[in-house]
Amino acid sequence: GENVEQHPSTLSVQEGDSAVIKCTYSDSASNYFPWYKQELGKRPQLIIDIRSNVGEKKDQRIAVTLNKTAKHFSLHITETQPEDSAVYFCAAFSGGDDKIIFGKGTRLHILP
Amino acid sequence: DTAVSQTPKYLVTQMGNDKSIKCEQNLGHDTMYWYKQDSKKFLKIMFSYNNKELIINETVPNRFSPKSPDKAHLNLHINSLELGDSAVYFCASSPGTSGNTIYFGEGSWLTVV
């Protein structure tokens, strides 16, 4: 079955700097890769997603890149702000298993 | 209007008790899920239903029994609660199973004492 590895587990960046979170997946048939943000005490919410027929997608300060050959995808947040502090989860949809598998999460701290 | 709503939000109960968490979605989605998030924040799928039919049943103790009376509802019943069951349980839904966005409910914080 699909296995999703996410790094780092914790990330601290200065406000205004960029943050990058990386994930790898094992199932080459996976074709959908969402990213979720979970603020303290709240539910995970989708912030951006990418499908396997696209290499990059951008939405204002966040972007996701996908390298199908290497089976890894990354979340990039530019000009970080205090409200970006949260836990971020990557995920991969495995067509073989017909389910979305989540990474273990990255706790992002934005330092003032 | 909450798209995926679950009750109760907080539940504190003693070991050995039986409890239920209810979930409803008004998005017209075909697929519903239960996820468990432990103290380390790992999100693990427990069950998935598509049009009231069980399609995913991960390695979950038999004490956990989901029930889907219709495609808008997915309830979770837990028998003989154990300390290790303490977690946040998220209900979720999606338009279908194939690579669609999952929408989470607000979570139910279960504490077993």
Side-chain angles (χ1 to χ4, degrees):
Chain A
E2 176 66 278
N3 183 44
V4 177
E5 298 284 340
Q6 181 171 349
H7 302 279
S9 56
T10 306
L11 178 61
S12 296
V13 301
Q14 213 68 39
E15 183 179 347
D17 288 351
S18 294
V20 180
I21 302 170
K22 299 182 179 182
C23 288
T24 60
Y25 60 98
S26 59
D27 184 357
S28 56
S30 290
N31 58 15
Y32 174 62
F33 307 91
W35 285 88
Y36 284 80
K37 175 184 180 182
Q38 186 179 23
E39 295 177 0
L40 189 62
K42 301 282 181 68
R43 73 183 97 188
Q45 290 193 286
L46 180 77
I47 55 170
I48 195 166
D49 56 11
I50 191 166
R51 295 193 184 270
S52 58
N53 57 348
V54 174
E56 185 173 357
K57 186 175 176 181
K58 194 172 179 181
D59 183 3
Q60 298 183 349
R61 295 186 299 108
I62 60 172
V64 58
T65 58
L66 171 65
N67 183 327
K68 282 176 57 181
T69 305
K71 288 189 280 190
H72 67 69
F73 55 114
S74 301
L75 178 72
H76 304 253
I77 307 174
T78 58
E79 300 171 23
T80 52
Q81 299 169 5
E83 54 265 34
D84 295 330
S85 292
V87 178
Y88 291 81
F89 293 95
C90 65
F93 175 75
S94 170
D97 292 337
D98 206 22
K99 61 186 176 186
I100 285 182
I101 303 298
F102 285 86
K104 291 186 176 178
T106 295
R107 189 176 296 277
L108 176 62
H109 300 277
I110 306 302
L111 306 172
Chain B
D1 287 342
T2 305
V4 182
S5 57
Q6 51 185 112
T7 55
K9 184 162 184 176
Y10 300 102
L11 185 55
V12 180
T13 189
Q14 290 188 323
M15 280 175 53
N17 283 350
D18 304 338
K19 290 294 176 186
S20 293
I21 308 172
K22 295 185 175 183
C23 180
E24 175 182 4
Q25 55 96 3
N26 62 6
L27 296 167
H29 289 166
D30 288 336
T31 308
M32 294 187 72
Y33 311 82
W34 277 109
Y35 280 86
K36 179 180 180 181
Q37 186 171 46
D38 60 22
S39 56
K40 293 184 178 179
K41 300 296 184 186
F42 300 158
L43 266 172
K44 287 189 179 177
I45 189 166
M46 300 173 68
F47 302 102
S48 172
Y49 272 72
N50 191 53
N51 277 316
K52 302 193 300 175
E53 285 197 26
L54 180 67
I55 55 170
I56 293 173
N57 183 352
E58 291 296 288
T59 312
V60 176
N62 290 339
R63 299 182 293 102
F64 290 79
S65 52
K67 275 205 172 63
S68 183
D70 55 60
K71 74 173 194 178
H73 295 83
L74 180 61
N75 304 322
L76 182 66
H77 188 75
I78 316 170
N79 287 329
S80 304
L81 279 156
E82 299 177 358
L83 293 177
D85 298 332
S86 296
V88 184
Y89 292 85
F90 285 100
C91 177
S93 73
S94 66
T97 58
S98 297
N100 288 285
T101 302
I102 291 179
Y103 296 84
F104 287 90
E106 294 190 341
S108 294
W109 271 253
L110 172 65
T111 302
V112 182
V113 297

